[in-house]
Each structure stands twice: as C-alpha cells, then as structure tokens.
Amino acid sequence: MNEYGNVLENVDLKKYTTFGIGGKCKYLIEVKNENCLINLLKYLKNEKIKYYILGNGSNVILDDSYFDGVVIRLNNLNKITINDNFVTASCGVKLGFLNNVCLQESLVSLNFASLIPGTVGASVMGNAGCYNHDMMEYVYKVKVLTKDFEVKEILKSEIKYGYRFTNLNDYIILSVTFILEKGDPIKTLKDMKENNEKRLNSQPLNEKCVGSIFKNPEGVSAGKLIDTLNLKGYHINDAKISKKHANFIVNNGNASFKDVIELINFIKIKVFENYGISLEVEPIIVRWSSL
C-alpha cells in the first residue's frame, strides 16, 4: 500500500486526536494526493477492508479498542489557491493556517475560525463555527468524492445546512471554494486577539478535549444548563466536566472511550430529568464495530 502514501503500522491513535483517546489501528496511511486517495479507497473496497478517514482529530471521540483496518489521513491534501476574493483550499488545510494565509491577502472573513482546530473538509462537513459565524456562510462550492468514486462539484445553493450540520455526510470533501470579504487585516488581527483571549480564558482549549460536547438547544446554552446543575468538576475516572466551561469534557490523564461515553450519558440524563431537554452530542462518536 506504499504507492498510496506514507504507511504506518500498528499506530496508537491517541497521538492523532486532541482528546488523547483512541486505540491502535492496523495501518495508518497519509495519502499523497487526491488520485492516491481514490485509488486507495477502490483497493480497500475491493479487498473488503474497513477504513476510517480522520481529519485533525479535533471533533471526534474515537473508540479505544483495536481497529483491524486502515485509518486514512488527508494532511498532505493541503493546497490553497487565491483568485481575488475566491479562495480554494484542499480538505487537509488547517483552519488557523488558512485564515493566516487569507489575512496576508486582506481577506478577513475567516478570522472567527482562527482557534477552531479542525481542517477545511471536516469543518465544512459539520458546519463548524463560533461568534455567530459558521463555515457555510462563506462557502461558494465544494468538490467532493462520491461513494461511486466520482468527483463532482456542488454549489452552496444545492447544499442543505444549518447549525453544526450539512447534508454532505455521504461524500468525502476534497476541497472547498470560499468567497471572502476584503478588509483591514490590522484591525482584524486586533479583534481576533481580543476574541481569542476571551475564548482561551473561558474554555479549556489548552487541555485535552474535543471542543463543545453538546450542541446548544434552541434559545439556550448547553453549558449553562449543565452549569446550573453544579456538574462542573464531576468526573468518571479521568473524564471530567471542565471547571472552566461546563460544555467541555477534558481528559484529565488517561480517560477511556468508555469513561467519556458514560459521562456524556450521565449529563444527558441529568439535563433531561431537570429540564426535559434532550441534548445532542456535537462531536462524532466513532465505534469501530459500526463501520
């Protein structure tokens, strides 16, 4: 499988997630380019080998049992092209890096995403956002790979999307073209610094976590609901509700997949018992048995 990219064997996936949770996988392949990805997927399908595509590992809760399959990383798909205010970025580009490149061209729209630790593909797929902005706001079109290995482009007008959601889950996003606004990069950097300092002071972004655990129900903050139940600091082994922000679970050392899932379910039950609200999990929960 070396012709498809860099192949690693018996890889500990803890190192590839911001949560520091994950089991070992038989193979991890960092594909060289789009064609290598397509050829690898065709090979895996023909050989009936299970696989999972992992982005930056920042919005995913990974099964920590052994995965007898292939984890594919797209970090080498990292091209950025800028044509006036149209910016096309490959799926493996990190958002913070993309924003920095855009600011050099006085394109300021993605400054809200400077601290979102995801990649372009996964962040657009889940319509990541903060500060009342999200990725789909600036999308022009998306280049995707279908289940039949067909490459096609989908315009924004053809995509259904909403809060932390798009209907692109049946595809693999290869690249995204954004339309961004020109602005003053110096003022934008100042605003970014202020916003990012507030965020770092109010969220445990320097600890092992996956960002917000629950989507905000309509008209209310999930963090506030959990906080009013005095659950900050509550833990199951090393999986702990952050004392900084109640909608974050941090890995306080060696939290397991089971610890995190039990803590998530505990929070959901408590919130439902007290408020009649069913919280919806925001990160992707990956169980190898369901692939």
Side-chain angles (χ1 to χ4, degrees):
M1 289 190 285
N2 289 297
E3 65 267 31
Y4 304 117
N6 183 31
V7 179
L8 304 171
E9 291 186 52
N10 202 32
V11 173
D12 187 351
L13 294 170
K14 278 193 186 83
K15 301 169 188 172
Y16 292 89
T17 69
T18 59
F19 218 167
I21 296 172
K24 289 191 174 180
C25 64
K26 190 171 185 179
Y27 296 107
L28 183 144
I29 302 178
E30 297 173 321
V31 293
K32 293 177 195 169
N33 52 46
E34 287 181 8
N35 285 335
C36 287
L37 171 64
I38 294 166
N39 291 332
L40 172 60
L41 292 173
K42 285 178 180 176
Y43 168 78
L44 296 175
K45 185 178 181 181
N46 288 338
E47 298 295 319
K48 295 183 169 57
I49 298 171
K50 283 188 172 186
Y51 68 88
Y52 182 74
I53 296 176
L54 183 66
N56 199 40
S58 60
N59 193 41
V60 64
I61 303 170
L62 273 193
D63 194 334
D64 56 11
S65 61
Y66 181 72
F67 179 43
D68 187 25
V70 176
V71 170
I72 301 169
R73 294 192 76 223
L74 307 177
N75 48 305
N76 292 323
L77 278 61
N78 54 15
K79 190 177 175 188
I80 300 171
T81 56
I82 298 177
N83 184 4
D84 195 24
N85 62 336
F86 287 86
V87 177
T88 300
S90 297
C91 56
V93 175
K94 292 181 181 178
L95 291 188
F97 179 75
L98 176 61
N99 177 56
N100 289 342
V101 171
C102 290
L103 282 178
Q104 290 170 21
E105 302 294 325
S106 299
L107 296 166
V108 299
S109 304
L110 293 179
N111 72 87
F112 74 92
S114 62
L115 274 189
I116 295 175
T119 53
V120 165
S123 299
V124 169
M125 178 85 70
N127 197 18
C130 56
Y131 306 129
N132 298 314
H133 293 283
D134 57 41
M135 299 305 294
M136 283 302 301
E137 188 176 342
Y138 301 103
V139 167
Y140 173 64
K141 64 181 179 180
V142 179
K143 184 168 79 165
V144 301
L145 181 65
T146 72
K147 286 182 175 177
D148 298 319
F149 308 114
E150 176 196 353
V151 176
K152 68 175 189 175
E153 290 190 335
I154 305 174
L155 292 171
K156 177 178 178 175
S157 58
E158 301 172 272
I159 301 169
K160 288 181 183 171
Y161 63 92
Y163 172 64
R164 305 297 174 265
F165 141 83
T166 69
N167 66 340
L168 295 169
N169 290 56
D170 286 340
Y171 304 110
I172 295 168
I173 293 177
L174 297 174
S175 66
V176 180
T177 300
F178 301 94
I179 304 182
L180 306 181
E181 295 160 5
K182 295 260 185 185
D184 180 352
I186 304 300
K187 180 184 180 302
T188 300
L189 281 167
K190 183 172 174 288
D191 293 343
M192 260 172 57
K193 190 174 179 225
E194 286 175 10
N195 284 334
N196 290 349
E197 278 174 5
K198 282 182 201 165
R199 205 162 172 213
L200 287 164
N201 287 332
S202 64
Q203 298 177 1
L205 301 182
N206 294 323
E207 298 181 71
K208 290 190 280 187
C209 67
V210 286
S212 298
I213 288 290
F214 299 105
K215 297 179 182 181
N216 288 324
E218 182 122 17
V220 65
S221 155
K224 190 169 276 189
L225 293 174
I226 300 163
D227 195 9
T228 53
L229 295 173
N230 296 314
L231 292 178
K232 277 183 177 175
Y234 182 88
H235 66 97
I236 294 176
N237 297 320
D238 277 345
K240 184 177 84 170
I241 299 171
S242 169
K243 289 185 176 179
K244 223 176 194 184
H245 194 304
N247 197 21
F248 283 70
I249 291 175
V250 296
N251 178 357
N252 216 26
N254 291 300
S256 69
F257 178 77
K258 183 172 175 283
D259 295 336
V260 172
I261 299 304
E262 283 185 7
L263 185 53
I264 286 172
N265 290 334
F266 171 80
I267 296 166
K268 287 175 77 171
I269 289 165
K270 288 293 179 188
V271 168
F272 188 77
E273 283 176 350
N274 285 273
Y275 301 108
I277 293 172
S278 296
L279 290 178
E280 187 181 346
V281 176
E282 185 170 318
I284 297 164
I285 296 173
V286 179
R287 291 178 174 86
W288 302 130
S289 59
S290 64
L291 293 182

